[in-house]
Amino acid sequence: MKPSLPHSALIAALALAGCSGSSAPAGNAASPAAAADDSVSCKTGITLQLLGSGGPITDDARASSGAVVWIDGKARLLIDAGGGTYLRYGEAGARLEDLDFIGISHFHTDHVADLPAILKGAYFLSGRHDVALVGPSGNANFPSMTAFFDREFGRGHGAFEYLSGLANGTEGLQLSVRPSDVNVASPTATKVWQGDGVTISAFGIPHGDVPALAYRIETPKGVMVLSADQNGSRKEFVDFAKGADLLMMPAAIDDDADAQSRFLHATPTVVGKIAAEINPKLLVLDHFMGRSLKDKDKNVATIQRYYHGPVYAGRDLSCFPLSH
């Protein structure tokens, strides 16, 4: 029998290995980590698994943003569905019939392009199932979640009208999708889903002029806070994320990025300062692009000037378990 790993080493092992038995690119820690133990499955307990750790440009050789949360062996929660996550969803072994909640952070294509492809799987389920679909309110340039759903699947006018039965689980589609909007300007978090001891809240984050949300997932094993793209200028985000055991933040740019990039994204210095204030047990970086991958070690070192806990640079299909 193999000796069991301590929790800190287990996180490192899973981050390095990706899912047990997977040949996908592995995640890697910012500092030396324990050797991987392939006898450990990503699907035990409550675990965050990155589906896509890249951005909107193909220079990163990764799927775009998306993640699932495994709860007792089932992929119950999906956060974002950027290009490539459809493939990764299948590679991870996630099943649509287990899914209870989909949270979309914002309507850039690298966070939502594969949503129709994933939902089309509703034709092939053995029984009817309901799923909550949550996303941000809209503005002059971007739709709300409910408007996006209608434009994609609305009867008589949707781009994918043949999937209009998703609205009520009809016409051969065994999935009933319930879309709803969260006001990104709300001064307080909005509870968006609750079940089996898990509570999910959403909160508006500043992503330039793009309405965007972060998600807080409170579970019996601990708390995850998953932030998509943000520039870090909304101070209330720190209060929203306080108490997180795991904090996920994007790593799209460098400290020397241009003003437009900093309007949309947080620099490594900003990420480090935010993480230091929140002080999670673990910081996971995702949403890499070609340039931030080239300078990854430098950017991680910048973050670690401020946040002194473990930092992991995520890869597609790498996993991070919660445990107390």
Side-chain angles (χ1 to χ4, degrees):
M1 178 180 295
K2 294 184 179 182
S4 60
L5 292 172
H7 178 59
S8 59
L10 173 61
I11 290 177
L14 291 175
L16 282 164
C19 264
S20 176
S22 171
S23 60
N28 60 295
S31 54
D37 180 351
D38 288 340
S39 68
V40 178
S41 170
C42 297
K43 300 176 185 177
T44 58
I46 298 176
T47 298
L48 171 71
Q49 183 173 21
L50 302 185
L51 299 179
S53 58
I57 308 174
T58 56
D59 63 354
D60 52 43
R62 300 167 180 233
S64 294
S65 292
V68 292
V69 177
W70 293 89
I71 301 175
D72 297 330
K74 295 182 178 181
R76 302 277 300 278
L77 317 175
L78 171 66
I79 307 296
D80 280 344
T85 56
Y86 169 80
L87 173 63
R88 298 292 192 228
Y89 191 81
E91 288 178 331
R95 293 163 50 89
L96 191 58
E97 48 264 58
D98 296 332
L99 193 62
D100 292 311
F101 176 85
I102 302 171
I104 298 298
S105 64
H106 63 286
F107 292 111
H108 277 158
T109 55
D110 56 316
H111 292 261
V112 75
D114 273 10
L115 182 63
I118 291 173
L119 291 179
K120 185 189 173 177
Y123 273 126
F124 309 106
L125 304 186
S126 58
R128 193 174 179 280
H129 184 62
D130 294 339
V131 63
L133 174 63
V134 172
S137 53
N139 63 14
N141 298 313
F142 292 89
S144 66
M145 183 75 257
T146 52
F148 179 88
F149 187 82
D150 184 60
R151 293 177 189 180
E152 293 283 290
F153 309 114
R155 190 177 303 280
H157 58 270
F160 302 105
E161 183 188 356
Y162 80 107
L163 299 177
S164 61
L166 286 169
N168 50 16
T170 59
E171 301 178 22
L173 291 155
Q174 298 296 313
L175 197 67
S176 178
V177 181
R178 297 172 284 109
S180 63
D181 306 328
V182 173
N183 180 4
V184 298
S186 173
T188 58
T190 300
K191 185 168 75 173
V192 293
W193 190 82
Q194 190 168 28
D196 296 336
V198 175
T199 300
I200 305 175
S201 301
F203 187 70
I205 51 176
H207 184 31
D209 58 355
V210 186
L213 295 172
Y215 290 92
R216 180 184 178 98
I217 303 169
E218 299 179 0
T219 83
K221 295 290 187 179
V223 177
M224 300 179 184
V225 175
L226 310 181
S227 173
D229 306 340
Q230 64 157 307
N231 62 30
S233 64
R234 190 172 190 187
K235 303 304 182 184
E236 295 87 352
F237 173 73
V238 171
D239 292 331
F240 172 72
K242 279 286 189 183
D245 296 282
L246 183 157
L247 173 65
M248 186 178 78
M249 292 288 289
I253 66 172
D254 306 289
D255 270 5
D256 59 354
D258 59 75
Q260 179 61 30
S261 296
R262 293 197 303 272
F263 178 59
L264 292 167
H265 300 284
T267 64
T269 290
V270 171
V271 170
K273 289 180 177 180
I274 289 173
E277 287 193 75
I278 295 168
N279 196 29
K281 296 178 181 177
L282 176 70
L283 175 63
V284 176
L285 303 177
D286 83 325
H287 203 286
F288 289 93
M289 294 197 284
R291 179 168 178 175
S292 62
L293 282 170
K294 180 180 178 181
D295 295 334
K296 182 180 67 177
D297 291 345
K298 175 184 174 183
N299 294 338
V300 169
T302 299
I303 290 169
Q304 290 179 317
R305 291 176 195 164
Y306 305 95
Y307 170 70
H308 303 302
V311 181
Y312 289 89
R315 293 287 298 272
D316 291 9
L317 296 178
S318 56
C319 295
F320 304 92
L322 282 180
S323 180
H324 278 323

